[in-house]
Amino acid sequence: MPQEIQVKSLLNKTKGRDSWFLDDYTINPYSGCSFNCLYCYIRGSKYGIHMEDKLSVKVNALEVLEKQLQSRAKKGQYGIIVLSSATDPYLQFENDYGLTRDILELILKYRFPLHVITKSDLVIRDFDLLKEIDQQAILPD
């Protein structure tokens, strides 16, 4: 079972738009990762040692993200969000927490464009929201 943690921020502004993912922001609803992919860049960092043993859920993520997205939208600071950059958003306990789906609903509400990185077929559950986000998102300049 993952550890439940509180966070101060969920929406992270990238230093520059990546040419591969075109991201302006990243969101990671979970910490750690159970997929343990050999090619993952996190594995080579100080955060990558025994990642599957450090799984955690950011339980206040929705309240924090709502404030951050609302503030950015109000200022017209739209940008492409990558979900997730450091861990998969559809870890095995997403079925219990549903945090990624709730985050997608907030992203839709504030009309941010989105790019999802996952190895899980659980993403199929959210195709309805992803389609709506694609249709309603405000693209950045």
Side-chain angles (χ1 to χ4, degrees):
M1 199 66 186
Q3 178 184 8
E4 294 184 348
I5 61 171
Q6 300 278 324
V7 294
K8 293 180 182 176
S9 178
L10 198 71
L11 184 69
N12 304 297
K13 178 77 174 115
T14 57
K15 291 180 181 166
R17 187 176 285 165
D18 181 272
S19 62
W20 186 263
F21 295 111
L22 302 175
D23 59 330
D24 298 292
Y25 302 99
T26 62
I27 295 175
N28 291 288
Y30 302 107
S31 293
C33 190
S34 55
F35 284 107
N36 207 18
C37 303
L38 291 174
Y39 53 81
C40 182
Y41 74 95
I42 296 294
R43 286 176 57 111
S45 74
K46 65 180 180 180
Y47 304 106
I49 300 169
H50 306 295
M51 284 180 26
E52 64 279 357
D53 297 335
K54 300 173 186 169
L55 297 174
S56 59
V57 178
K58 299 173 182 178
V59 292
N60 65 329
L62 296 177
E63 300 85 45
V64 171
L65 183 60
E66 173 107 39
K67 290 176 188 172
Q68 291 181 297
L69 288 177
Q70 184 178 46
S71 174
R72 296 285 180 166
K74 193 175 190 178
K75 296 174 187 174
Q77 296 174 335
Y78 288 93
I80 299 170
I81 296 172
V82 171
L83 179 72
S84 286
S85 63
T87 185
D88 199 293
Y90 292 99
L91 295 177
Q92 69 275 12
F93 42 82
E94 168 62 18
N95 276 324
D96 298 327
Y97 285 92
L99 187 54
T100 296
R101 182 160 180 94
D102 292 340
I103 285 171
L104 291 175
E105 289 173 350
L106 279 178
I107 290 170
L108 174 61
K109 177 180 176 180
Y110 291 100
R111 302 179 62 196
F112 278 76
L114 179 71
H115 179 96
V116 178
I117 302 171
T118 186
K119 290 187 81 169
S120 173
D121 60 1
L122 185 55
V123 69
I124 294 167
R125 172 199 72 186
D126 295 336
F127 277 178
D128 60 330
L129 284 173
L130 294 170
K131 184 177 180 181
E132 280 191 70
I133 290 168
D134 181 52
Q135 293 169 347
Q136 297 186 29
I138 298 172
L139 295 176
D141 296 331

